[in-house]
Amino acid sequence: MRGEILSYDSTTGIGLISGDDGARYDFTSAALQSPAVPAAGVRVDFVPEGSVATQILILAGGPTPTGVAGFATATAAPGSGFDFKTALLSFEGRLRRSHFWIGFLILFGANVVLGWIPLIGLIVWLASIWGHVAISVKRLHDMGKTGWYVVAPYVASIALSIIGVVMMFGGMAANGFSEDYYEGNPAAALALMGPAMGLFGLALLTGFVFLLWIGLVDSQKGENRFGPNPKGE
């Protein structure tokens, strides 16, 4: 069947084809049978398998990022450039370590620069939550992990904080919530606050450890269920 490429993201290696039958087909760079790099508007010949296009051949004469389709001599490496829109907005595909840190620094910088402006700062902070989750999910995909792991540090932090609060108020309740008791008994105050503060500290540390984990672990070699390796390895 023949059709036309509607979109292709070189960062994730994922694209979309509009078939001449009127249906749309997803595809990945692994299905390409041509050395030319696909681009929107290029005509292709492919074999449909359900809603997925396989054995894609870019037809000669169409423009691509490397020249004329069918006559290109080199293929751009997947993920060779940072795609702002895909990295910070999409939850699909994979994201290499360097692009994760670029996205992280962009979001961090936006919050630092604009965070002090009352309304704009709030909007930027709320928008950055989406961006942080997006780059984290794709980084997990790149490691061969499910994106649902992104909730792990939040669940752990909330659970540790709740336990800390329960321990603190449970200890105070045991002594009748008496402030005089703790003011005259520093050892008792330390015994009450110490474990709770330790749990609060662990709650904060959980997010930092998770950030280092997804930011430092290398990409899974080759293609996995989330797409091709963004480094082309």
Side-chain angles (χ1 to χ4, degrees), residues 142-197:
D142 191 38
M143 297 158 57
K145 312 293 183 183
T146 174
W148 285 107
Y149 281 176
V150 77
V151 304
Y154 298 101
V155 172
S157 295
I158 292 173
L160 290 169
S161 297
I162 291 175
I163 294 173
V165 170
V166 170
M167 289 179 60
M168 182 184 300
F169 281 92
M172 294 178 66
N175 294 290
F177 294 99
S178 173
E179 294 183 5
D180 295 336
Y181 174 81
Y182 293 105
E183 288 179 359
N185 194 345
L190 182 61
L192 174 67
M193 298 296 295
M197 295 305 295

Side-chain angles (χ1 to χ4, degrees), residues 169-223:
F169 281 92
M172 294 178 66
N175 294 290
F177 294 99
S178 173
E179 294 183 5
D180 295 336
Y181 174 81
Y182 293 105
E183 288 179 359
N185 194 345
L190 182 61
L192 174 67
M193 298 296 295
M197 295 305 295
L199 289 172
F200 295 149
L202 283 176
L204 295 174
L205 187 61
T206 298
F208 180 69
V209 171
F210 181 81
L211 174 66
L212 291 180
W213 178 51
I214 64 175
L216 298 179
V217 174
D218 198 3
S219 304
Q220 185 178 52
K221 299 294 183 182
E223 184 171 354

Side-chain angles (χ1 to χ4, degrees), residues 40-98:
V42 172
R43 294 285 296 174
V44 294
D45 187 272
F46 65 96
V47 176
E49 293 184 2
S51 62
V52 177
T54 63
Q55 303 180 40
I56 303 170
L57 179 65
I58 296 178
L59 301 177
T64 73
T66 57
V68 177
F71 300 97
T73 58
T75 302
S80 57
F82 180 80
D83 187 326
F84 181 90
K85 179 180 179 180
T86 302
L88 300 180
L89 300 180
S90 171
F91 292 86
E92 302 296 327
R94 300 168 60 173
L95 192 68
R96 61 192 299 179
R97 285 177 297 180
S98 60

